[in-house]
Amino acid sequence: MTRPRAASQRFVAQLPTRVRSRVEVIYSPILEIKPLPVKIDTSGVRGLIFTSANAVNAAVSLGVSRHLPAFCVGPATTGTAKGAGWEARMVGATAEELVAFLLKHRPESPLLHLRGEHTRGNIALRLTESGLTVREQAVYQQRLLPLTPEAAAAADGLLPVIAPLFSPRTARQFADIWTGSAPLWLAAISQATADPLYSLDYARLKIAKEPTPKKMQKAVKKLVKHAMRVEGNETTD
């Protein structure tokens, strides 16, 4: 599991018991999330945009007002924002769906997109160019990390390694640091996340049908089943 520990543990906990019983889970975050020491000016802002739970957690640590409505991408981000006290609404499973929703419904603006230092999609710029004023501010940094010794040992072993990747940046980092000879089975949450992985020598690469935790869990479940069948440990569906 390459995500930060808490997010990885949540994902693993939601896998079927049958899947968890057949794998050894190795936690090796290759991205470290840290809030930036910044001040958030929400004066005049009529709503917030959250595209990751990391941004929500950073906003909490920075004392951002909970009195503003929050427009969110995905159930995890929305749930985190609700749990932190915002009136949060999921308006899409992807950034593209969020942009389409906001342009269609035109909520009161300006809005403020709180995001990481590295992001894709140019949400604030695209919305502003389409007449909906949106500011943006980075509230957390994403520091790249190497594989842990345990993960590196697994990479050099003989057993299949299944690696779910949840963002293009972590996929690029994984492709850069993976030097193992173990059979590699990859799950990518989107096509953009899969793109950096094509340079790797993998046994199989499965792209989730939708960029959601539920579809990623399904992809991992299928990889576990196929990997075990290839290894001769699984004889039935």
Side-chain angles (χ1 to χ4, degrees), residues 185-202:
W185 299 67
L186 299 168
I189 198 168
S190 65
Q191 182 61 57
T193 300
D195 287 342
L197 303 173
Y198 291 125
S199 62
L200 293 169
D201 182 16
Y202 53 82

Side-chain angles (χ1 to χ4, degrees), residues 3 10 31 33 49-60 70-81 86 92-95 98 113-119 123 137 139-142 166-167:
R3 305 177 86 187
R10 284 196 300 270
L31 201 65
I33 306 298
I49 296 175
F50 289 123
T51 48
S52 75
N54 292 324
V56 176
N57 293 328
V60 170
F71 302 98
C72 303
V73 169
T77 301
T78 306
T80 302
W86 273 282
T94 65
L98 174 135
H113 180 202
L114 300 178
R115 58 171 181 79
E117 280 185 323
H118 302 277
T119 188
I123 289 173
Q137 184 168 357
V139 292
Y140 67 92
Q141 61 182 183
Q142 305 124 303
F166 291 84
S167 74

